[in-house]
Amino acid sequence: MRQIELLAPARDLQIGIAAIDCGADAVYIAGEQFGARQAAGNSMSDIQKLCSHAHKFGARIFVTMNTIIYDSELEQARRQMMEIQEAGADAIIVQDLAILELARQGGLDGTGFRLPLHASTQCAIRTPEQAVFLESLGFSRLILERELSLEEIRAIRKAVSCELEFFVHGALCVCYSGQCYLSENISGRSANRGSCIQACRSRYDLADASGRILAKDKALLSLKDYNLRDRLEELAEAGITSFKIEGRLKNASYVKNVVRDYSIAIDSLIRKHPEYLRASFGHVSGGFTPDTGKTFNRGYTQLFLDGKRSGQWSCMDTAKSMGEEIGIITSLSRDKSRIIIRPISNKVVLSNGDGFSFVSGSGTVTGFRGDVCEGMSIRCKSTPELFVGARLFRNISAAFEKEIERNSCTRMIDVNTHIHFSRNDGIWTVEATAVTEDGREASSTFQASDQDAGNPEKMLTMLRNQICKSAGNFRFNMDAYEESAANSGHEGPVPFMTASFMNSIRRGLAEKLEAMPCISRELMYREPHPDSGKPFPKEDASYKCNISNRLSREIYALSGAKTIDKAYELSHKGDAELMRTKYCIRHEIGICPRHHRAKDSGPLFLINNGRRLALHFDCRKCEMTVSEVTPDIPRPQK
């Protein structure tokens, strides 16, 4: 049997609890410092509370420490690692190799550190050689690069035996993860330090060497969101253990919606493939019907999963969420505050408070709220950019948001209950045994009355109805009741029992089970040994290795690197690539010499507020790079 894990993001404690309740097998959340989303830090007290809730279901909590760390911060990082372990977390997600050495050393007071370390996607793991190197240092799990194909994932799976994790949903960085230096270059705010300005979502002009504008005021580096819900079976077959949802800055409704959708998909996958099992326990009931088309998205893509470029990867018109297309504007009032639309289908239903967006005549995306929606009529504040013929999108469904808020999911551990009756000196005794789906077992004996039930069949039906309810985090059933009763020789008379007596049986068992920790499934643990890893797969450790402290530098030296560069943040190399990506603007706009047989356009440049960035095209690898314009590269003419 192989575990399948749905890994959800959490900005804070409440969102983490909601993710678990909606079906996540694990949640990743930032601690107080060193998380790659600086705006999403959490106290150790909140992490402890989240761990306590998750562990009721055998679910896991992973804490992110996936920034690069400076020498002056190493002891601070050590203290946080030990606090995370004490809070009850199950693993730490890291980028900086120094944490391997800190984990090996443990606390300064002699306390050992025993949490698994997961290599963050910021480690840019996209080859078997990189994977083997990181596994050899003691990582228990590798979080793979998002631009990989299924074939490349299979090659990595064949090369290593540790767990593999892969993003399946959410926002996409255009650059290989951990190797984007554009934010640092522009503003001094490093993505590898958790403070990315998201320059890839900005708008640019695209110019050739002569200054001719090929595209104007477009989000040329902004990618659509990832959505691999329909590819989970293939990813599992390729060797992925954990399916990861992006979104540690997203709100609660987003996380609930996406988690519920993917949890349902994984349950379906497991029904089809009994060789797989969920990494945690409990069944989700109630709640809402998920729909990822109704939550924040920039449109969806599957990137390079099939090993080829297909469809549009970018969302050039806007880096924001356009939402679902609902129709065409057919009529406008004079002041443009009342709209009539022709819906794209008869399934479109509008609600007061819906949010709408459209592309204006100037090419910019404009949004507005529908204050009053009646049929296909929308009343709103005057919006001058509106025009007849505009395609209208809904990016906020007020009715759907209310449904998510009102209808909370409930997660319960299934319990099988066995009932045995016996009679001694005329007094009935009821022995009840309960076994949870994770293997906990509790038994209790209850003294019933000396009376026989007048109608045994009716009394047994009543018993079943009272036992088969929920108590605490448990959902009881009596599937084994009849067999137990028959084996005990009491097919005839049964004791008279009141409803309160029956309920006390269930509550008593629940209290005993609640006092026992959930028997969670095993999570892979490898001892960190940063001084005895396999050789580094390259001769030189460049600035792209993000080496920012003495401990990580020592690890690369011990692994055979002949030259070791400092991290970009410490060196600001003038000739550095600021980005390297599978995404290619020439391909996206149809002027790729290789795929579209277009004439080579020569050097291309991105222009934003007077800043020029040079694009280079490595057609052999089918990759694009972004770098600073240097004197030997011609500047576009004004």
Side-chain angles (χ1 to χ4, degrees):
M1 301 287 284
R2 181 154 70 86
Q3 293 182 38
I4 296 294
E5 175 188 277
L6 177 60
L7 177 55
R11 184 176 64 196
D12 56 33
L13 168 63
Q14 295 307 319
I15 294 177
I17 289 174
I20 296 295
D21 290 347
C22 287
D25 299 295
V27 163
Y28 64 104
I29 187 170
E32 294 171 343
Q33 297 180 81
F34 308 116
R37 296 291 185 272
Q38 204 172 70
N42 292 273
S43 69
M44 285 301 140
S45 173
D46 279 356
I47 288 175
Q48 187 173 28
K49 291 173 185 174
L50 182 57
C51 291
S52 177
H53 182 75
H55 292 167
K56 293 176 182 178
F57 306 99
R60 304 153 175 171
I61 301 301
F62 306 148
V63 180
T64 59
M65 287 184 66
N66 55 342
T67 63
I68 59 173
I69 300 169
Y70 295 154
D71 278 312
S72 61
E73 300 168 327
L74 288 171
E75 290 310 314
Q76 198 173 352
R78 184 201 305 272
R79 285 194 298 272
Q80 181 164 303
M81 291 168 61
M82 303 309 294
E83 289 170 355
I84 290 169
Q85 178 172 260
E86 188 175 351
D90 299 280
I92 296 182
I93 300 172
V94 306
Q95 175 186 185
D96 199 310
L97 299 191
I99 292 183
L100 288 159
E101 177 58 21
L102 294 176
R104 188 188 68 79
Q105 295 174 7
L108 292 178
D109 62 354
T111 304
F113 184 83
R114 293 289 298 175
L115 292 186
L117 297 179
H118 295 176
S120 170
T121 189
Q122 300 301 111
C123 294
I125 307 163
R126 57 185 188 269
T127 68
E129 293 76 18
Q130 288 172 299
V132 168
F133 171 65
L134 291 170
E135 180 189 42
S136 74
L137 296 175
F139 282 109
S140 302
R141 179 183 293 188
L142 306 180
I143 307 170
L144 303 183
E145 186 68 72
R146 280 169 268 209
E147 289 81 355
L148 295 180
S149 67
L150 284 167
E151 183 179 349
E152 289 168 321
I153 292 170
R154 291 187 187 102
I156 292 173
R157 173 73 285 164
K158 187 176 180 181
V160 297
S161 58
C162 62
E163 295 175 342
L164 297 181
E165 180 178 308
F166 197 70
F167 279 93
V168 294
H169 194 96
L172 287 164
C173 293
V174 65
C175 179
Y176 288 131
S177 299
Q179 297 181 349
C180 181
Y181 309 103
L182 186 56
S183 177
E184 170 72 16
N185 178 271
I186 292 172
S187 66
R189 292 175 54 184
S190 167
N192 283 318
R193 297 280 291 167
S195 55
C196 180
I197 64 170
Q198 295 193 327
C200 57
R201 304 296 182 188
S202 297
R203 303 181 77 84
Y204 298 89
D205 293 342
L206 179 67
D208 63 16
S210 69
R212 184 167 62 101
I213 301 298
L214 306 181
K216 187 169 183 61
D217 194 30
K218 295 285 188 180
L220 291 165
L221 294 175
S222 181
L223 296 188
K224 294 177 180 178
D225 290 356
Y226 222 9
N227 188 326
L228 299 182
R229 186 189 187 281
D230 297 332
R231 309 298 298 273
L232 301 183
E233 183 175 9
E234 293 161 277
L235 287 166
E237 180 275 329
I240 297 300
T241 294
S242 178
F243 300 131
K244 187 172 192 173
I245 298 166
E246 183 277 338
R248 276 193 294 131
L249 295 179
K250 295 294 197 299
N251 62 21
S253 66
Y254 176 93
V255 173
K256 289 179 183 179
N257 186 30
V258 178
V259 167
R260 192 74 202 100
D261 194 41
Y262 276 78
S263 183
I264 291 170
I266 291 174
D267 286 342
S268 177
L269 170 65
I270 288 173
R271 284 193 295 271
K272 183 177 179 182
H273 292 277
E275 67 270 24
Y276 301 146
L277 50 77
R278 293 294 292 257
S280 65
F281 301 98
H283 292 81
V284 178
S285 60
F288 54 93
T289 302
D291 184 348
T292 54
K294 293 184 184 298
T295 200
F296 183 99
N297 70 86
R298 302 175 177 90
Y300 289 124
T301 178
Q302 296 186 355
L303 275 190
F304 200 63
L305 195 67
D306 291 312
K308 61 184 179 181
R309 300 181 183 277
S310 59
Q312 291 288 113
W313 289 10
S314 69
C315 51
M316 289 188 183
D317 287 331
T318 179
K320 300 177 181 178
S321 174
M322 288 290 288
E324 53 181 341
E325 185 174 0
I326 60 168
I328 304 291
I329 296 176
T330 59
S331 176
L332 278 170
S333 64
R334 186 184 297 273
D335 65 353
K336 298 190 176 181
S337 67
R338 185 172 182 272
I339 307 163
I340 304 294
I341 71 166
R342 182 176 68 248
I344 60 172
S345 78
N346 57 12
K347 294 182 179 180
V348 173
V349 177
L350 305 181
S351 301
N352 295 345
D354 281 352
F356 301 99
S357 64
F358 65 98
V359 180
S360 69
S362 63
T364 60
V365 174
T366 302
F368 64 94
R369 282 276 189 175
D371 297 325
V372 179
C373 299
E374 298 174 333
M376 293 299 111
S377 170
I378 303 169
R379 291 185 180 274
C380 60
K381 291 181 180 179
S382 178
T383 307
E385 296 87 351
L386 284 167
F387 62 94
V388 172
R391 294 167 60 201
L392 196 64
F393 297 78
R394 176 167 55 192
N395 52 19
I396 299 174
S397 171
F400 186 65
E401 291 294 316
K402 287 178 182 176
E403 182 187 354
I404 292 177
E405 187 177 350
R406 282 195 305 258
N407 301 312
S408 299
C409 293
T410 302
R411 184 165 179 169
M412 297 280 180
I413 298 284
D414 277 345
V415 181
N416 282 325
T417 309
H418 301 253
I419 301 294
H420 180 269
F421 299 128
S422 61
R423 201 173 199 175
N424 187 23
D425 294 331
I427 302 297
W428 283 101
T429 298
V430 180
E431 297 176 32
T433 302
V435 181
T436 64
E437 59 180 287
D438 57 288
R440 284 171 284 175
E441 184 171 336
S443 296
S444 289
T445 301
F446 302 86
Q447 292 296 120
S449 67
D450 59 357
Q451 300 178 47
D452 292 351
N455 186 331
E457 185 177 349
K458 185 176 180 180
M459 184 58 62
L460 293 176
T461 299
M462 182 178 172
L463 177 64
R464 176 182 294 280
N465 291 339
Q466 294 301 318
I467 292 294
C468 294
K469 293 181 179 179
S470 62
N473 296 312
F474 303 102
R475 183 177 68 180
F476 287 80
N477 63 68
M478 287 183 58
D479 289 343
Y481 165 75
E482 289 86 356
E483 179 184 354
S484 178
N487 288 344
S488 63
H490 292 287
E491 296 173 331
V494 297
F496 170 79
M497 295 170 284
T498 64
S500 61
F501 176 82
M502 298 173 185
N503 289 336
S504 70
I505 295 175
R506 186 184 69 253
R507 287 195 297 267
L509 292 172
E511 287 174 6
K512 286 191 173 184
L513 294 172
E514 191 75 47
M516 305 176 192
C518 181
I519 304 172
S520 58
R521 302 199 197 280
E522 185 177 357
L523 181 65
M524 180 178 286
Y525 172 77
R526 289 175 178 269
E527 194 81 33
H529 40 78
D531 55 347
S532 59
K534 296 208 180 275
F536 183 58
K538 299 178 182 178
E539 287 190 1
D540 303 321
S542 75
Y543 68 93
K544 289 187 177 183
C545 293
N546 300 322
I547 300 167
S548 60
N549 58 69
R550 58 180 175 80
L551 295 182
S552 57
R553 194 158 46 248
E554 288 170 7
I555 291 172
Y556 278 99
L558 288 169
S559 299
K562 293 182 179 178
T563 61
I564 302 174
D565 288 347
K566 292 181 179 179
Y568 180 83
E569 289 79 359
L570 297 176
S571 61
H572 283 276
K573 296 171 68 71
D575 59 345
E577 288 179 356
L578 302 179
M579 283 187 178
R580 178 172 283 267
T581 172
K582 274 284 186 187
Y583 169 73
C584 175
I585 288 177
R586 289 202 304 193
H587 185 277
E588 200 75 1
I589 66 174
I591 60 170
C592 171
R594 183 176 178 182
H595 292 93
H596 300 116
R597 298 181 181 178
K599 182 180 178 181
D600 194 328
S601 60
L604 294 179
F605 304 87
L606 294 176
I607 305 171
N608 177 288
N609 289 328
R611 179 183 290 270
R612 289 174 170 81
L613 299 169
L615 302 180
H616 303 276
F617 303 94
D618 187 342
C619 292
R620 184 178 61 84
K621 294 181 178 179
C622 210
E623 294 176 332
M624 181 183 78
T625 66
V626 180
S627 61
E628 288 186 273
V629 172
T630 54
D632 60 326
I633 299 176
R635 287 195 172 204
Q637 300 298 310
K638 292 184 179 178

